[in-house]
Structures are given as C-alpha cells and as structure tokens.
Amino acid sequence: MTELHDIPAPAKLNLFLHITGRRPDGYHLLQSVFMLIDWQDTLDFRLQPDGRITRSDADPHSQLPAEDLCVRAARKLQQYTGCTLGAHIHLHKQIPSEAGMGGGSSDAASCLLALNRLWDLRLAPEQLAAIGLELGADVPFFLFGRNAWVEGIGEQLQPVELPPARFLVVKPEEGAPTAKIFTDPALKRDTSAATIADFVASTSPYQYGRNDLQPVAQGLCPSITQALSWLEQHKLQGRMTGSGTAVFAELPTSFHDADLQHPATKNWKARVCSNIALHPLLQWRA
C-alpha cells in the first residue's frame, strides 16, 4: 500500500460544556457530550520512503499554520514507533477553523489512523489515544469513534446513544480567542458535576445544560451573539459549541432545507447537518 484517498475527518458539536474545576497545571476540568456530525474534511496520503512529512492544501489560497496538527501527528507517530517512513498529506478542508467544531483535532486523529495503516504499524487504540492526547484534548474523542460523555480534560470517554437529529450550524467569520476565554476571570469554573443518568433523564439531550464558555466568548466576539440572534429569527434556540464561534440548534422535523435563508452577513457559513452514531474510520482502530 502506497496511497490512501478520501479519508474522512468529521466535525463534532458540544451538546453542552460545563467547567467543573481546574487542575494545578492550569488545565480545566470539564463535562460535555461530544457528538459527531456529517460536516467533514477529507485527506489523501502518499507514502514517502525517505521519512519526510509534507503537507499541502486543496485551497490554493490557504496558508498552512506553522504548527499544523496533521504534520505534528505524523511526526509524533514516527517518534513513538521509530518508523523511518514518511508521507505527503493533502487536506481538503471543509470544516471551518476557529469554530469549536474540532476540525484540526479530527484531521489529526484521521492522520494517526491512516498512517498507522499506511505504515503498517498496527498500534492498539490505547496507544493511538496516548499519542492523540499529546496533540490536543479533543483528539482522543475522534479516535474513540463514538458519541461520548466526556470528562477530565477530554480524555475520559464513555459512549452515549443519541437519537438521530438534524441541526442548523452557523459559523460567523470571526474566530474566538480560545486562550483569552479560558483565562478570563469571569469564566465560571465551578459548575456542579452532573452524571450520565442526569443527561439521559433530561427532557431532550439537545437542550441539556449550557456552555460555560459562551458568556465570556460573547463578550469577546459580538458575532456569536449576532449568530444566535439569527437562529432566533428562524425560531430556533441555539448555543455555542466548544470555545466557538460556531453556534447550532436542533431542527424540528417540520423544517425544510428550502426554508433556510442564508445569513446576509458576508462570509458567514450556515449548513444543515445530521448527527452520526459512529466515526467512519471506527473499524481502523483495531
């Protein structure tokens, strides 16, 4: 095997996000439910025998970040295994950046899964998860491959069943300064711990709890409030996902895609998405 093509990397939504404390090292402790959706990036891989890791983007106007997560994931995998093979990674980016939808983390997870296969490393899921956690708190979720109740800093995962549903997801042009949100003195860090039983017993899994990051994020990024107001115009109750700036709302069964009036605001993205029960690469974890 020398190439892999059209490898999916789906986005996620945080149905809620509670901050329950903070560790001595500064990491925040959270509780959330992460849900996979069908908005996704795709990646292509080509084996490079000389050990080089290179990356390109399908968008010719895109500028690759200096600390690209795909490249970092590949290099971490090389370091962990001593593998002398390399790869060229080509990314077809669809998930908006700085959205709170986990796009970069999902790309990194799919890179680990694909390169584990391309390089014939045969690492166990637990080994891949350990590498993933070094790349970011969301990466283990995408390697886990199922909708999950999430605790700790994102590494404690339990599967949850969610009913099929559709969501209107809106991403304003502006990005959220994640570091500022988490260091803001006004951020609520003492939400009482909940349980999966609380979540399951709620009237709707898509209305449970809140996003503790949202009030601070709205103060820093007015476009989040504007996006939530736009959802209200469609008679939808929205909330922010992750650290933003994307917001989402469950759609009633009576909602037709033709009823969607796209935002007049330039460069906003609005999309109807469905949730998915399993990551499309789940079978690659073995």
Side-chain angles (χ1 to χ4, degrees):
M1 182 185 301
T2 59
E3 294 185 353
L4 290 169
H5 294 282
D6 300 320
I7 305 305
K12 59 86 176 167
L13 296 176
N14 294 78
L15 296 186
F16 68 94
L17 201 165
H18 296 169
I19 305 297
T20 59
R22 197 173 189 180
R23 300 194 322 190
D25 61 7
Y27 280 95
H28 287 77
L29 299 172
L30 61 87
Q31 288 187 313
S32 185
V33 166
F34 286 10
M35 179 183 70
L36 296 162
I37 59 172
D38 60 1
W39 197 340
Q40 66 180 28
D41 296 337
T42 56
L43 303 100
D44 301 320
F45 298 85
R46 185 181 70 249
L47 186 69
Q48 297 195 142
D50 59 7
R52 290 183 304 126
I53 303 295
T54 55
R55 188 161 80 84
S56 59
D57 198 302
D59 181 355
H61 304 292
S62 176
Q63 293 186 345
L64 301 183
E67 290 297 311
D68 178 69
L69 267 176
C70 292
V71 173
R72 287 177 56 201
R75 289 178 176 158
K76 284 277 187 187
L77 193 58
Q78 284 179 325
Q79 293 166 8
Y80 185 88
T81 62
C83 181
T84 59
L85 298 173
H88 179 73
I89 306 164
H90 188 65
L91 175 63
H92 302 260
K93 191 69 180 169
Q94 297 294 324
I95 303 169
S97 300
E98 297 184 308
M101 297 168 64
S105 295
S106 185
D107 294 341
S110 290
C111 277
L112 291 175
L113 290 164
L115 293 176
N116 188 43
R117 198 174 182 89
L118 187 68
W119 293 342
D120 196 27
L121 299 174
R122 305 185 186 187
L123 294 186
E126 296 78 13
Q127 293 172 291
L128 291 175
I131 298 170
L133 187 58
E134 295 183 20
L135 295 165
D138 287 351
V139 180
F141 162 70
F142 291 105
L143 292 168
F144 184 66
R146 295 174 170 85
N147 298 321
W149 176 274
V150 182
E151 294 188 285
I153 62 171
E155 84 287 10
Q156 299 174 28
L157 303 162
Q158 299 181 61
V160 294
E161 299 292 331
L162 298 171
R166 296 196 308 153
F167 302 84
L168 179 53
V169 184
V170 185
K171 170 61 175 73
E173 182 179 11
E174 186 180 7
T178 302
K180 286 187 178 181
I181 294 171
F182 276 102
T183 56
D184 195 299
L187 177 64
K188 182 175 176 60
R189 299 179 172 90
D190 60 353
T191 294
S192 299
T195 66
I196 294 181
D198 296 331
F199 175 73
V200 171
S202 63
T203 304
S204 167
Y206 305 123
Q207 300 298 324
Y208 180 82
R210 61 181 179 273
N211 186 337
D212 283 338
L213 305 184
Q214 184 173 312
V216 173
Q218 286 182 260
L220 295 170
C221 300
S223 60
I224 297 172
T225 301
Q226 294 168 10
L228 290 168
S229 297
W230 184 79
L231 288 175
E232 289 180 4
Q233 292 172 20
H234 285 77
K235 299 181 180 180
L236 300 171
Q237 183 62 46
R239 66 176 59 177
M240 188 178 79
T241 178
S243 58
T245 53
V247 301
F248 69 96
E250 182 188 7
L251 292 174
T253 55
S254 59
F255 186 92
H256 299 286
D257 292 4
D259 297 333
L260 175 61
Q261 299 176 4
H262 287 277
T265 307
K266 186 179 179 181
N267 293 331
W268 279 26
K269 296 181 180 180
R271 181 165 175 167
V272 174
C273 299
S274 297
N275 58 356
I276 55 178
L278 302 174
H279 194 290
L281 299 180
L282 181 63
Q283 72 277 12
W284 283 15
R285 295 175 72 247

